[in-house]
Amino acid sequence: MKTIPYSTQFIDEYDLQNVIEALKAPMLTQGDKNEIFEYMLAEYLGVKYVLTFNSATSALYAAYNACFEKGSRVITTPISFVATANMLLACGCEPVFVDIGYDGNINPESIQAMLEKANRNTSTSIQGIVSVDFGGNSVDITAISALVKQYGLKFISDSSHAFGGNVNGQKIGSFADASIFSFHAIKPITTAEGGAISTNNKEIYEKAKLIRSHGLVKQGLWESEVTEIGFNFRLNEIQAALGMSQLNKIDMFLHRRENIARIYDKFFANNPYFTPIHPMIPPSHKSTNHLYPILLNQEFVPHKEKIFHLLLARDLGVQVHYKPIFNYKIFAPCEKDSGSNAIHWYEAEISLPCHQAMSDKEVAYCIQTTLKTFEEVAKSGIKAIKS
């Protein structure tokens, strides 16, 4: 069987035709398709402003630059792709890492403990919070929003996994001062590479827009002025055309992902090998299921590498999300709490395939192969198993 990736794009004839049409247009960049795509995204998310970017990493940089002053200390999670914290460093900010909860999301109690600690030392005050909607499931938005209000902080949501998710029917993307989405190929919808900022704050929107395009402001037919250090972070017309096409299918994609996750929940329930995270998601949260994480039971953690190799050999393109960011050398000087949950998560987590391109046959194969592999490892103990 062909390897089943943990996530991948789903491209159909409708997408291809949209891209071909864009290729035939007179302008391949800075045309009207990108503006239309931004309008469609804003309508879908229920926000005033959306800016598209050539990557979510660029969008993170622009959002941080628009919200945080250089030298700001910003609380964030250690369980994310490294770009979340990298762009804080790039903007001259200092990441402050707090721990996660059972679901892989930043723990509000850990945030509060760090804020109380910083509050006792005014020279190390905190200016903001950057959360990550891990795997497509929203953070505890009520608890974090309360802390933001109590301490007068800026709140950025790295929702790169979570486009289309919601809490109590309200779309992720409207809770924070600014939210970031990724349209990378493995995300719920794709523009190949790409990202976006959503916000209801006009000041954030205007500054991020300048950063996206060289900091240039037109002042006449050909006259312009540079008011901000900026870059070329723009999404092109071809990517926007693909994004428009994909956006029309987002509900279908998310329905399929949720259906696969629920099938997994049923067959993995009460197994003696690992704990799926998906059944623990609150009913008020609609996850995009960008990931289907499982946590190995403690006795299987020492055998994780063997399990991982076996699953790969059996054509399951599993992955681990993520190495705690504070364990990268570049972040060694940054403040962190114990991070014990994040460390345990990294030791125990494996992400199984879950995406809209999976067939029913592939879903069944993933279930059977996963359970069979763990059963063999359980029987063999520390002995090597040949696939």
Side-chain angles (χ1 to χ4, degrees):
M1 176 177 283
K2 183 179 177 182
T3 297
I4 307 168
Y6 76 86
S7 190
T8 191
Q9 71 276 4
F10 184 91
I11 304 295
D12 62 14
E13 189 62 31
Y14 181 53
D15 297 312
L16 296 176
Q17 289 303 315
N18 265 32
V19 170
I20 290 170
E21 180 185 336
L23 283 166
K24 292 178 179 178
M27 297 182 70
L28 295 184
T29 186
Q30 296 178 274
D32 61 356
K33 289 189 181 299
N34 192 51
E35 290 185 1
I36 295 170
F37 184 39
E38 289 176 336
Y39 175 81
M40 291 172 63
L41 291 169
E43 286 286 298
Y44 179 78
L45 295 171
V47 297
K48 292 181 181 178
Y49 310 107
V50 168
L51 280 171
T52 55
F53 287 78
N54 58 2
S55 72
T57 303
S58 301
L60 282 167
Y61 179 91
Y64 293 165
N65 199 291
C67 291
F68 303 132
E69 295 178 359
K70 190 174 182 179
S72 295
R73 300 177 75 243
V74 180
I75 286 176
T76 192
T77 173
I79 297 298
S80 178
F81 184 60
V82 71
T84 305
N86 256 351
M87 291 303 99
L88 285 171
L89 293 183
C91 290
C93 300
E94 179 189 342
V96 177
F97 297 104
V98 300
D99 214 351
I100 62 167
Y102 70 90
D103 57 357
N105 275 329
I106 196 168
N107 185 348
E109 292 180 1
S110 296
I111 296 174
Q112 184 162 14
M114 185 62 75
L115 287 169
E116 289 172 355
K117 177 183 175 182
N119 211 33
R120 292 192 294 270
N121 184 354
T122 55
S123 65
T124 61
S125 62
I126 304 294
Q127 283 76 47
I129 297 173
V130 175
S131 66
V132 171
D133 297 320
F134 182 84
N137 173 40
S138 175
V139 295
D140 185 340
I141 200 67
T142 302
I144 293 177
S145 295
L147 289 170
V148 167
K149 183 177 180 180
Q150 179 183 350
Y151 288 89
L153 306 174
K154 287 288 188 181
F155 177 24
I156 306 297
S157 176
D158 183 349
S159 299
S160 292
H161 294 182
F163 183 80
N166 69 58
V167 178
N168 290 319
Q170 184 176 348
K171 289 284 194 307
I172 294 170
S174 58
F175 300 115
D177 292 300
S179 298
I180 285 76
F181 297 103
S182 172
F183 302 137
H184 183 273
I186 62 172
K187 298 304 194 298
I189 66 169
T190 186
T191 57
E193 290 276 6
I197 293 174
S198 67
T199 183
N200 287 311
N201 185 308
K202 187 176 182 181
E203 186 178 343
I204 292 173
Y205 168 77
E206 295 291 354
K207 186 166 184 181
K209 191 173 184 179
L210 283 172
I211 294 166
R212 181 181 67 170
S213 192
H214 309 287
L216 278 168
V217 176
K218 286 191 175 182
Q219 295 185 327
L221 291 176
W222 58 80
E223 183 60 32
S224 61
E225 185 57 80
V226 176
T227 61
E228 189 82 34
I229 295 174
F231 305 84
N232 181 357
F233 285 161
R234 296 186 299 266
L235 195 74
N236 64 50
E237 293 290 279
I238 302 163
Q239 292 173 294
L242 177 58
M244 291 161 63
S245 175
Q246 289 268 298
L247 181 57
N248 288 326
K249 295 175 286 192
I250 181 63
D251 291 337
M252 178 180 68
F253 288 170
L254 295 185
H255 178 78
R256 177 58 176 166
R257 285 174 178 258
E258 178 66 18
N259 185 50
I260 292 170
R262 291 189 180 191
I263 293 171
Y264 284 167
D265 292 350
K266 177 182 176 182
F267 284 93
F268 292 150
N270 302 315
N271 79 80
Y273 315 121
F274 58 82
T275 301
I277 299 303
H278 183 264
M280 304 180 196
I281 294 174
S284 58
H285 288 206
K286 178 184 176 184
S287 175
T288 63
N289 299 300
H290 167 59
L291 302 175
Y292 188 89
I294 62 172
L295 296 181
L296 307 190
N297 291 351
Q298 192 58 45
E299 62 269 28
F300 287 91
V301 169
H303 308 300
K304 178 176 173 177
E305 187 173 349
K306 178 169 64 176
I307 293 165
F308 195 89
H309 277 302
L310 284 170
L311 292 173
L312 288 178
R314 293 168 180 180
D315 297 317
L316 296 188
V318 292
Q319 189 52 274
V320 172
H321 297 94
Y322 294 93
K323 177 179 177 177
I325 297 174
F326 55 62
N327 279 344
Y328 289 99
K329 291 180 181 178
I330 194 172
F331 296 100
C334 298
E335 184 177 358
K336 67 180 179 70
D337 60 16
S338 69
S340 57
N341 290 340
I343 292 167
H344 172 69
W345 179 278
Y346 179 53
E347 292 172 344
E349 197 271 349
I350 293 178
S351 298
L352 299 180
C354 183
H355 54 82
Q356 59 265 27
M358 289 180 74
S359 67
D360 290 345
K361 182 179 178 181
E362 288 173 327
V363 173
Y365 178 79
C366 184
I367 294 167
Q368 294 162 6
T369 302
T370 300
L371 292 174
K372 179 183 176 182
T373 299
F374 275 91
E375 182 182 5
E376 290 180 3
V377 171
K379 288 179 179 178
S380 71
I382 61 172
K383 295 178 182 177
I385 300 174
K386 294 182 179 179
S387 60

